[in-house]
Amino acid sequence: MSHPFVPDWTMSPAAILVVELRERGMFGAEFAVRSRLGPERTAGLLAGQLRIDGPVAAGIALVLETSGTMWMNAQQIYDDALARGAKDISGEYL
């Protein structure tokens, strides 16, 4: 019987978003406008201080042409990893 890989580290969906935006050369102000999240929510999101809920996921999906469900799932996976004691390495990217 094989055992699934369960890493002892995790990275927030906000950190994943920051990496993706950097790759695209997109910065906070442009993301705030295109996602329709506004500057305050965008700043909180990109600093890793705002959880991804339905409206935030929809804004991210709009800009990155992904699904909102993907971002909601990423938040849940992150929350679950923290609950099991995984080390958060997001600070290396935020």
PDB file of all heavy atoms in Angstrom, residues 12-15 17 37 40-60 71-83:
ATOM      1  N   SER A  12       0.872  29.944   1.514  1.00  0.00           N
ATOM      2  CA  SER A  12      -0.471  30.526   1.413  1.00  0.00           C
ATOM      3  C   SER A  12      -0.847  30.785  -0.043  1.00  0.00           C
ATOM      4  O   SER A  12       0.020  31.020  -0.888  1.00  0.00           O
ATOM      5  CB  SER A  12      -0.548  31.838   2.194  1.00  0.00           C
ATOM      6  OG  SER A  12       0.138  32.859   1.511  1.00  0.00           O
ATOM      7  N   PRO A  13      -2.131  30.765  -0.331  1.00  0.00           N
ATOM      8  CA  PRO A  13      -2.554  31.101  -1.686  1.00  0.00           C
ATOM      9  C   PRO A  13      -2.163  32.533  -2.047  1.00  0.00           C
ATOM     10  O   PRO A  13      -1.922  32.839  -3.210  1.00  0.00           O
ATOM     11  CB  PRO A  13      -4.063  30.902  -1.679  1.00  0.00           C
ATOM     12  CG  PRO A  13      -4.460  30.723  -0.267  1.00  0.00           C
ATOM     13  CD  PRO A  13      -3.244  30.371   0.515  1.00  0.00           C
ATOM     14  N   ALA A  14      -2.059  33.411  -1.051  1.00  0.00           N
ATOM     15  CA  ALA A  14      -1.615  34.783  -1.319  1.00  0.00           C
ATOM     16  C   ALA A  14      -0.181  34.782  -1.855  1.00  0.00           C
ATOM     17  O   ALA A  14       0.135  35.519  -2.793  1.00  0.00           O
ATOM     18  CB  ALA A  14      -1.698  35.627  -0.054  1.00  0.00           C
ATOM     19  N   ALA A  15       0.676  33.955  -1.283  1.00  0.00           N
ATOM     20  CA  ALA A  15       2.061  33.870  -1.757  1.00  0.00           C
ATOM     21  C   ALA A  15       2.106  33.312  -3.176  1.00  0.00           C
ATOM     22  O   ALA A  15       2.885  33.779  -4.008  1.00  0.00           O
ATOM     23  CB  ALA A  15       2.899  33.014  -0.815  1.00  0.00           C
ATOM     24  N   LEU A  17      -0.235  33.671  -5.368  1.00  0.00           N
ATOM     25  CA  LEU A  17      -0.723  34.778  -6.193  1.00  0.00           C
ATOM     26  C   LEU A  17       0.387  35.799  -6.441  1.00  0.00           C
ATOM     27  O   LEU A  17       0.571  36.251  -7.575  1.00  0.00           O
ATOM     28  CB  LEU A  17      -1.924  35.446  -5.531  1.00  0.00           C
ATOM     29  CG  LEU A  17      -2.477  36.692  -6.227  1.00  0.00           C
ATOM     30  CD1 LEU A  17      -2.962  36.355  -7.636  1.00  0.00           C
ATOM     31  CD2 LEU A  17      -3.581  37.303  -5.384  1.00  0.00           C
ATOM     32  N   LEU A  37     -11.215  44.343  -6.802  1.00  0.00           N
ATOM     33  CA  LEU A  37     -11.158  44.194  -5.352  1.00  0.00           C
ATOM     34  C   LEU A  37     -10.867  45.506  -4.640  1.00  0.00           C
ATOM     35  O   LEU A  37     -11.099  45.623  -3.447  1.00  0.00           O
ATOM     36  CB  LEU A  37     -10.095  43.158  -4.961  1.00  0.00           C
ATOM     37  CG  LEU A  37     -10.387  41.722  -5.377  1.00  0.00           C
ATOM     38  CD1 LEU A  37      -9.208  40.818  -5.048  1.00  0.00           C
ATOM     39  CD2 LEU A  37     -11.653  41.217  -4.708  1.00  0.00           C
ATOM     40  N   GLU A  40      -7.539  48.593  -0.947  1.00  0.00           N
ATOM     41  CA  GLU A  40      -7.388  48.097   0.429  1.00  0.00           C
ATOM     42  C   GLU A  40      -7.430  46.576   0.494  1.00  0.00           C
ATOM     43  O   GLU A  40      -6.592  45.948   1.143  1.00  0.00           O
ATOM     44  CB  GLU A  40      -8.462  48.693   1.330  1.00  0.00           C
ATOM     45  CG  GLU A  40      -8.184  50.132   1.710  1.00  0.00           C
ATOM     46  CD  GLU A  40      -9.183  50.638   2.728  1.00  0.00           C
ATOM     47  OE1 GLU A  40      -9.704  49.840   3.527  1.00  0.00           O
ATOM     48  OE2 GLU A  40      -9.441  51.856   2.712  1.00  0.00           O
ATOM     49  N   ARG A  41      -8.402  45.981  -0.156  1.00  0.00           N
ATOM     50  CA  ARG A  41      -8.502  44.513  -0.132  1.00  0.00           C
ATOM     51  C   ARG A  41      -7.322  43.885  -0.860  1.00  0.00           C
ATOM     52  O   ARG A  41      -6.802  42.862  -0.429  1.00  0.00           O
ATOM     53  CB  ARG A  41      -9.822  44.058  -0.746  1.00  0.00           C
ATOM     54  CG  ARG A  41     -11.002  44.451   0.153  1.00  0.00           C
ATOM     55  CD  ARG A  41     -12.303  44.047  -0.434  1.00  0.00           C
ATOM     56  NE  ARG A  41     -12.517  42.636  -0.152  1.00  0.00           N
ATOM     57  CZ  ARG A  41     -13.470  41.919  -0.733  1.00  0.00           C
ATOM     58  NH1 ARG A  41     -14.279  42.467  -1.602  1.00  0.00           N
ATOM     59  NH2 ARG A  41     -13.614  40.650  -0.432  1.00  0.00           N
ATOM     60  N   THR A  42      -6.894  44.512  -1.949  1.00  0.00           N
ATOM     61  CA  THR A  42      -5.745  43.992  -2.683  1.00  0.00           C
ATOM     62  C   THR A  42      -4.495  44.036  -1.812  1.00  0.00           C
ATOM     63  O   THR A  42      -3.731  43.069  -1.764  1.00  0.00           O
ATOM     64  CB  THR A  42      -5.520  44.779  -3.985  1.00  0.00           C
ATOM     65  OG1 THR A  42      -6.641  44.550  -4.846  1.00  0.00           O
ATOM     66  CG2 THR A  42      -4.252  44.349  -4.692  1.00  0.00           C
ATOM     67  N   ALA A  43      -4.288  45.137  -1.115  1.00  0.00           N
ATOM     68  CA  ALA A  43      -3.113  45.253  -0.237  1.00  0.00           C
ATOM     69  C   ALA A  43      -3.137  44.176   0.840  1.00  0.00           C
ATOM     70  O   ALA A  43      -2.115  43.525   1.108  1.00  0.00           O
ATOM     71  CB  ALA A  43      -3.055  46.639   0.392  1.00  0.00           C
ATOM     72  N   GLY A  44      -4.288  43.955   1.449  1.00  0.00           N
ATOM     73  CA  GLY A  44      -4.412  42.904   2.463  1.00  0.00           C
ATOM     74  C   GLY A  44      -4.170  41.527   1.891  1.00  0.00           C
ATOM     75  O   GLY A  44      -3.499  40.686   2.506  1.00  0.00           O
ATOM     76  N   LEU A  45      -4.694  41.285   0.710  1.00  0.00           N
ATOM     77  CA  LEU A  45      -4.514  39.995   0.050  1.00  0.00           C
ATOM     78  C   LEU A  45      -3.049  39.745  -0.272  1.00  0.00           C
ATOM     79  O   LEU A  45      -2.494  38.694   0.065  1.00  0.00           O
ATOM     80  CB  LEU A  45      -5.348  39.945  -1.232  1.00  0.00           C
ATOM     81  CG  LEU A  45      -5.196  38.694  -2.096  1.00  0.00           C
ATOM     82  CD1 LEU A  45      -5.635  37.454  -1.339  1.00  0.00           C
ATOM     83  CD2 LEU A  45      -5.994  38.862  -3.385  1.00  0.00           C
ATOM     84  N   LEU A  46      -2.401  40.714  -0.898  1.00  0.00           N
ATOM     85  CA  LEU A  46      -1.015  40.523  -1.325  1.00  0.00           C
ATOM     86  C   LEU A  46      -0.035  40.496  -0.148  1.00  0.00           C
ATOM     87  O   LEU A  46       1.082  39.996  -0.287  1.00  0.00           O
ATOM     88  CB  LEU A  46      -0.617  41.591  -2.341  1.00  0.00           C
ATOM     89  CG  LEU A  46      -1.430  41.580  -3.640  1.00  0.00           C
ATOM     90  CD1 LEU A  46      -0.945  42.660  -4.589  1.00  0.00           C
ATOM     91  CD2 LEU A  46      -1.391  40.208  -4.310  1.00  0.00           C
ATOM     92  N   ALA A  47      -0.460  40.997   1.006  1.00  0.00           N
ATOM     93  CA  ALA A  47       0.368  40.927   2.215  1.00  0.00           C
ATOM     94  C   ALA A  47       0.111  39.632   2.985  1.00  0.00           C
ATOM     95  O   ALA A  47       0.750  39.370   4.002  1.00  0.00           O
ATOM     96  CB  ALA A  47       0.091  42.130   3.107  1.00  0.00           C
ATOM     97  N   GLY A  48      -0.828  38.827   2.502  1.00  0.00           N
ATOM     98  CA  GLY A  48      -1.148  37.576   3.172  1.00  0.00           C
ATOM     99  C   GLY A  48      -2.020  37.749   4.391  1.00  0.00           C
ATOM    100  O   GLY A  48      -2.115  36.855   5.235  1.00  0.00           O
ATOM    101  N   GLN A  49      -2.706  38.888   4.512  1.00  0.00           N
ATOM    102  CA  GLN A  49      -3.529  39.175   5.683  1.00  0.00           C
ATOM    103  C   GLN A  49      -5.020  38.990   5.421  1.00  0.00           C
ATOM    104  O   GLN A  49      -5.815  39.122   6.340  1.00  0.00           O
ATOM    105  CB  GLN A  49      -3.264  40.614   6.146  1.00  0.00           C
ATOM    106  CG  GLN A  49      -1.827  40.843   6.525  1.00  0.00           C
ATOM    107  CD  GLN A  49      -1.501  42.319   6.678  1.00  0.00           C
ATOM    108  OE1 GLN A  49      -2.224  43.187   6.211  1.00  0.00           O
ATOM    109  NE2 GLN A  49      -0.385  42.585   7.319  1.00  0.00           N
ATOM    110  N   LEU A  50      -5.395  38.716   4.190  1.00  0.00           N
ATOM    111  CA  LEU A  50      -6.800  38.567   3.820  1.00  0.00           C
ATOM    112  C   LEU A  50      -7.033  37.147   3.336  1.00  0.00           C
ATOM    113  O   LEU A  50      -6.365  36.681   2.407  1.00  0.00           O
ATOM    114  CB  LEU A  50      -7.163  39.566   2.706  1.00  0.00           C
ATOM    115  CG  LEU A  50      -8.590  39.557   2.196  1.00  0.00           C
ATOM    116  CD1 LEU A  50      -9.546  40.053   3.283  1.00  0.00           C
ATOM    117  CD2 LEU A  50      -8.708  40.434   0.951  1.00  0.00           C
ATOM    118  N   ARG A  51      -7.960  36.449   3.991  1.00  0.00           N
ATOM    119  CA  ARG A  51      -8.320  35.099   3.549  1.00  0.00           C
ATOM    120  C   ARG A  51      -9.068  35.189   2.219  1.00  0.00           C
ATOM    121  O   ARG A  51      -9.775  36.149   1.960  1.00  0.00           O
ATOM    122  CB  ARG A  51      -9.229  34.409   4.567  1.00  0.00           C
ATOM    123  CG  ARG A  51      -8.523  34.046   5.848  1.00  0.00           C
ATOM    124  CD  ARG A  51      -9.388  33.208   6.771  1.00  0.00           C
ATOM    125  NE  ARG A  51      -9.309  31.797   6.371  1.00  0.00           N
ATOM    126  CZ  ARG A  51     -10.248  31.133   5.706  1.00  0.00           C
ATOM    127  NH1 ARG A  51     -11.367  31.701   5.366  1.00  0.00           N
ATOM    128  NH2 ARG A  51     -10.084  29.864   5.383  1.00  0.00           N
ATOM    129  N   ILE A  52      -8.926  34.175   1.447  1.00  0.00           N
ATOM    130  CA  ILE A  52      -9.625  34.131   0.167  1.00  0.00           C
ATOM    131  C   ILE A  52     -11.020  33.565   0.391  1.00  0.00           C
ATOM    132  O   ILE A  52     -11.181  32.417   0.788  1.00  0.00           O
ATOM    133  CB  ILE A  52      -8.836  33.303  -0.861  1.00  0.00           C
ATOM    134  CG1 ILE A  52      -7.521  34.009  -1.158  1.00  0.00           C
ATOM    135  CG2 ILE A  52      -9.654  33.096  -2.127  1.00  0.00           C
ATOM    136  CD1 ILE A  52      -6.608  33.258  -2.089  1.00  0.00           C
ATOM    137  N   ASP A  53     -12.013  34.416   0.160  1.00  0.00           N
ATOM    138  CA  ASP A  53     -13.410  34.003   0.232  1.00  0.00           C
ATOM    139  C   ASP A  53     -13.981  34.057  -1.187  1.00  0.00           C
ATOM    140  O   ASP A  53     -13.238  34.270  -2.152  1.00  0.00           O
ATOM    141  CB  ASP A  53     -14.196  34.880   1.212  1.00  0.00           C
ATOM    142  CG  ASP A  53     -14.187  36.360   0.833  1.00  0.00           C
ATOM    143  OD1 ASP A  53     -13.775  36.726  -0.287  1.00  0.00           O
ATOM    144  OD2 ASP A  53     -14.608  37.172   1.685  1.00  0.00           O
ATOM    145  N   GLY A  54     -15.265  33.883  -1.329  1.00  0.00           N
ATOM    146  CA  GLY A  54     -15.879  33.837  -2.651  1.00  0.00           C
ATOM    147  C   GLY A  54     -15.609  35.053  -3.520  1.00  0.00           C
ATOM    148  O   GLY A  54     -15.145  34.915  -4.660  1.00  0.00           O
ATOM    149  N   PRO A  55     -15.887  36.273  -3.035  1.00  0.00           N
ATOM    150  CA  PRO A  55     -15.641  37.455  -3.861  1.00  0.00           C
ATOM    151  C   PRO A  55     -14.158  37.662  -4.217  1.00  0.00           C
ATOM    152  O   PRO A  55     -13.840  38.068  -5.331  1.00  0.00           O
ATOM    153  CB  PRO A  55     -16.170  38.616  -3.004  1.00  0.00           C
ATOM    154  CG  PRO A  55     -17.169  37.992  -2.098  1.00  0.00           C
ATOM    155  CD  PRO A  55     -16.634  36.620  -1.811  1.00  0.00           C
ATOM    156  N   VAL A  56     -13.287  37.388  -3.267  1.00  0.00           N
ATOM    157  CA  VAL A  56     -11.846  37.525  -3.547  1.00  0.00           C
ATOM    158  C   VAL A  56     -11.419  36.492  -4.585  1.00  0.00           C
ATOM    159  O   VAL A  56     -10.697  36.807  -5.536  1.00  0.00           O
ATOM    160  CB  VAL A  56     -11.013  37.395  -2.251  1.00  0.00           C
ATOM    161  CG1 VAL A  56      -9.525  37.370  -2.549  1.00  0.00           C
ATOM    162  CG2 VAL A  56     -11.343  38.535  -1.293  1.00  0.00           C
ATOM    163  N   ALA A  57     -11.887  35.260  -4.434  1.00  0.00           N
ATOM    164  CA  ALA A  57     -11.567  34.211  -5.398  1.00  0.00           C
ATOM    165  C   ALA A  57     -12.061  34.587  -6.790  1.00  0.00           C
ATOM    166  O   ALA A  57     -11.366  34.360  -7.788  1.00  0.00           O
ATOM    167  CB  ALA A  57     -12.179  32.883  -4.955  1.00  0.00           C
ATOM    168  N   ALA A  58     -13.242  35.168  -6.861  1.00  0.00           N
ATOM    169  CA  ALA A  58     -13.793  35.586  -8.158  1.00  0.00           C
ATOM    170  C   ALA A  58     -12.926  36.672  -8.790  1.00  0.00           C
ATOM    171  O   ALA A  58     -12.694  36.669 -10.001  1.00  0.00           O
ATOM    172  CB  ALA A  58     -15.225  36.076  -7.991  1.00  0.00           C
ATOM    173  N   GLY A  59     -12.432  37.607  -7.981  1.00  0.00           N
ATOM    174  CA  GLY A  59     -11.560  38.662  -8.492  1.00  0.00           C
ATOM    175  C   GLY A  59     -10.246  38.122  -9.023  1.00  0.00           C
ATOM    176  O   GLY A  59      -9.782  38.518 -10.093  1.00  0.00           O
ATOM    177  N   ILE A  60      -9.658  37.195  -8.284  1.00  0.00           N
ATOM    178  CA  ILE A  60      -8.405  36.574  -8.736  1.00  0.00           C
ATOM    179  C   ILE A  60      -8.649  35.821 -10.036  1.00  0.00           C
ATOM    180  O   ILE A  60      -7.873  35.934 -10.995  1.00  0.00           O
ATOM    181  CB  ILE A  60      -7.835  35.622  -7.669  1.00  0.00           C
ATOM    182  CG1 ILE A  60      -7.492  36.384  -6.387  1.00  0.00           C
ATOM    183  CG2 ILE A  60      -6.604  34.892  -8.209  1.00  0.00           C
ATOM    184  CD1 ILE A  60      -7.181  35.475  -5.198  1.00  0.00           C
ATOM    185  N   TRP A  71      -9.061  28.808  -6.285  1.00  0.00           N
ATOM    186  CA  TRP A  71      -8.506  29.659  -5.231  1.00  0.00           C
ATOM    187  C   TRP A  71      -9.152  29.377  -3.878  1.00  0.00           C
ATOM    188  O   TRP A  71      -8.483  29.427  -2.846  1.00  0.00           O
ATOM    189  CB  TRP A  71      -8.621  31.126  -5.631  1.00  0.00           C
ATOM    190  CG  TRP A  71      -7.690  31.394  -6.761  1.00  0.00           C
ATOM    191  CD1 TRP A  71      -7.996  31.441  -8.091  1.00  0.00           C
ATOM    192  CD2 TRP A  71      -6.275  31.565  -6.679  1.00  0.00           C
ATOM    193  NE1 TRP A  71      -6.851  31.644  -8.827  1.00  0.00           N
ATOM    194  CE2 TRP A  71      -5.780  31.729  -7.987  1.00  0.00           C
ATOM    195  CE3 TRP A  71      -5.369  31.603  -5.618  1.00  0.00           C
ATOM    196  CZ2 TRP A  71      -4.430  31.917  -8.264  1.00  0.00           C
ATOM    197  CZ3 TRP A  71      -4.021  31.794  -5.890  1.00  0.00           C
ATOM    198  CH2 TRP A  71      -3.565  31.955  -7.201  1.00  0.00           C
ATOM    199  N   MET A  72     -10.431  29.037  -3.873  1.00  0.00           N
ATOM    200  CA  MET A  72     -11.087  28.637  -2.625  1.00  0.00           C
ATOM    201  C   MET A  72     -10.492  27.331  -2.105  1.00  0.00           C
ATOM    202  O   MET A  72     -10.240  27.182  -0.908  1.00  0.00           O
ATOM    203  CB  MET A  72     -12.598  28.471  -2.845  1.00  0.00           C
ATOM    204  CG  MET A  72     -13.330  29.749  -3.215  1.00  0.00           C
ATOM    205  SD  MET A  72     -13.499  30.897  -1.860  1.00  0.00           S
ATOM    206  CE  MET A  72     -14.616  29.986  -0.815  1.00  0.00           C
ATOM    207  N   ASN A  73     -10.234  26.398  -3.022  1.00  0.00           N
ATOM    208  CA  ASN A  73      -9.608  25.131  -2.631  1.00  0.00           C
ATOM    209  C   ASN A  73      -8.196  25.365  -2.099  1.00  0.00           C
ATOM    210  O   ASN A  73      -7.779  24.726  -1.126  1.00  0.00           O
ATOM    211  CB  ASN A  73      -9.565  24.159  -3.806  1.00  0.00           C
ATOM    212  CG  ASN A  73     -10.919  23.594  -4.145  1.00  0.00           C
ATOM    213  OD1 ASN A  73     -11.854  23.634  -3.347  1.00  0.00           O
ATOM    214  ND2 ASN A  73     -11.051  23.067  -5.350  1.00  0.00           N
ATOM    215  N   ALA A  74      -7.453  26.275  -2.731  1.00  0.00           N
ATOM    216  CA  ALA A  74      -6.099  26.580  -2.266  1.00  0.00           C
ATOM    217  C   ALA A  74      -6.134  27.118  -0.842  1.00  0.00           C
ATOM    218  O   ALA A  74      -5.291  26.756  -0.009  1.00  0.00           O
ATOM    219  CB  ALA A  74      -5.434  27.580  -3.209  1.00  0.00           C
ATOM    220  N   GLN A  75      -7.124  27.950  -0.528  1.00  0.00           N
ATOM    221  CA  GLN A  75      -7.253  28.478   0.840  1.00  0.00           C
ATOM    222  C   GLN A  75      -7.551  27.350   1.816  1.00  0.00           C
ATOM    223  O   GLN A  75      -6.976  27.288   2.906  1.00  0.00           O
ATOM    224  CB  GLN A  75      -8.343  29.545   0.902  1.00  0.00           C
ATOM    225  CG  GLN A  75      -8.510  30.177   2.273  1.00  0.00           C
ATOM    226  CD  GLN A  75      -7.334  31.035   2.679  1.00  0.00           C
ATOM    227  OE1 GLN A  75      -6.998  31.980   1.982  1.00  0.00           O
ATOM    228  NE2 GLN A  75      -6.712  30.726   3.801  1.00  0.00           N
ATOM    229  N   GLN A  76      -8.434  26.438   1.430  1.00  0.00           N
ATOM    230  CA  GLN A  76      -8.793  25.322   2.319  1.00  0.00           C
ATOM    231  C   GLN A  76      -7.606  24.393   2.543  1.00  0.00           C
ATOM    232  O   GLN A  76      -7.364  23.945   3.670  1.00  0.00           O
ATOM    233  CB  GLN A  76      -9.982  24.544   1.754  1.00  0.00           C
ATOM    234  CG  GLN A  76     -10.492  23.483   2.697  1.00  0.00           C
ATOM    235  CD  GLN A  76     -11.000  24.067   4.004  1.00  0.00           C
ATOM    236  OE1 GLN A  76     -11.858  24.938   4.000  1.00  0.00           O
ATOM    237  NE2 GLN A  76     -10.469  23.599   5.115  1.00  0.00           N
ATOM    238  N   ILE A  77      -6.860  24.105   1.498  1.00  0.00           N
ATOM    239  CA  ILE A  77      -5.678  23.250   1.622  1.00  0.00           C
ATOM    240  C   ILE A  77      -4.652  23.894   2.552  1.00  0.00           C
ATOM    241  O   ILE A  77      -4.052  23.229   3.401  1.00  0.00           O
ATOM    242  CB  ILE A  77      -5.078  22.955   0.234  1.00  0.00           C
ATOM    243  CG1 ILE A  77      -6.019  22.042  -0.548  1.00  0.00           C
ATOM    244  CG2 ILE A  77      -3.676  22.364   0.338  1.00  0.00           C
ATOM    245  CD1 ILE A  77      -5.707  21.953  -2.031  1.00  0.00           C
ATOM    246  N   TYR A  78      -4.475  25.203   2.405  1.00  0.00           N
ATOM    247  CA  TYR A  78      -3.552  25.947   3.266  1.00  0.00           C
ATOM    248  C   TYR A  78      -4.016  25.885   4.719  1.00  0.00           C
ATOM    249  O   TYR A  78      -3.219  25.580   5.625  1.00  0.00           O
ATOM    250  CB  TYR A  78      -3.471  27.393   2.772  1.00  0.00           C
ATOM    251  CG  TYR A  78      -2.673  28.317   3.642  1.00  0.00           C
ATOM    252  CD1 TYR A  78      -1.282  28.207   3.726  1.00  0.00           C
ATOM    253  CD2 TYR A  78      -3.287  29.328   4.374  1.00  0.00           C
ATOM    254  CE1 TYR A  78      -0.548  29.073   4.516  1.00  0.00           C
ATOM    255  CE2 TYR A  78      -2.555  30.194   5.153  1.00  0.00           C
ATOM    256  CZ  TYR A  78      -1.185  30.063   5.226  1.00  0.00           C
ATOM    257  OH  TYR A  78      -0.453  30.926   6.009  1.00  0.00           O
ATOM    258  N   ASP A  79      -5.287  26.156   4.963  1.00  0.00           N
ATOM    259  CA  ASP A  79      -5.833  26.113   6.323  1.00  0.00           C
ATOM    260  C   ASP A  79      -5.659  24.727   6.938  1.00  0.00           C
ATOM    261  O   ASP A  79      -5.276  24.598   8.108  1.00  0.00           O
ATOM    262  CB  ASP A  79      -7.310  26.505   6.324  1.00  0.00           C
ATOM    263  CG  ASP A  79      -7.551  27.958   5.954  1.00  0.00           C
ATOM    264  OD1 ASP A  79      -6.609  28.777   5.990  1.00  0.00           O
ATOM    265  OD2 ASP A  79      -8.715  28.276   5.606  1.00  0.00           O
ATOM    266  N   ASP A  80      -5.936  23.690   6.153  1.00  0.00           N
ATOM    267  CA  ASP A  80      -5.788  22.310   6.641  1.00  0.00           C
ATOM    268  C   ASP A  80      -4.334  21.993   6.981  1.00  0.00           C
ATOM    269  O   ASP A  80      -4.048  21.331   7.986  1.00  0.00           O
ATOM    270  CB  ASP A  80      -6.308  21.308   5.609  1.00  0.00           C
ATOM    271  CG  ASP A  80      -7.812  21.360   5.428  1.00  0.00           C
ATOM    272  OD1 ASP A  80      -8.516  22.001   6.250  1.00  0.00           O
ATOM    273  OD2 ASP A  80      -8.300  20.778   4.429  1.00  0.00           O
ATOM    274  N   ALA A  81      -3.422  22.459   6.147  1.00  0.00           N
ATOM    275  CA  ALA A  81      -1.999  22.209   6.391  1.00  0.00           C
ATOM    276  C   ALA A  81      -1.546  22.879   7.685  1.00  0.00           C
ATOM    277  O   ALA A  81      -0.808  22.281   8.482  1.00  0.00           O
ATOM    278  CB  ALA A  81      -1.162  22.701   5.212  1.00  0.00           C
ATOM    279  N   LEU A  82      -1.979  24.104   7.900  1.00  0.00           N
ATOM    280  CA  LEU A  82      -1.624  24.793   9.149  1.00  0.00           C
ATOM    281  C   LEU A  82      -2.192  24.056  10.355  1.00  0.00           C
ATOM    282  O   LEU A  82      -1.522  23.915  11.381  1.00  0.00           O
ATOM    283  CB  LEU A  82      -2.130  26.233   9.137  1.00  0.00           C
ATOM    284  CG  LEU A  82      -1.433  27.195   8.179  1.00  0.00           C
ATOM    285  CD1 LEU A  82      -2.075  28.580   8.280  1.00  0.00           C
ATOM    286  CD2 LEU A  82       0.058  27.277   8.439  1.00  0.00           C
ATOM    287  N   ALA A  83      -3.418  23.552  10.211  1.00  0.00           N
ATOM    288  CA  ALA A  83      -4.062  22.836  11.313  1.00  0.00           C
ATOM    289  C   ALA A  83      -3.313  21.558  11.671  1.00  0.00           C
ATOM    290  O   ALA A  83      -3.295  21.160  12.842  1.00  0.00           O
ATOM    291  CB  ALA A  83      -5.515  22.520  10.958  1.00  0.00           C
TER     292      ALA A  83
END
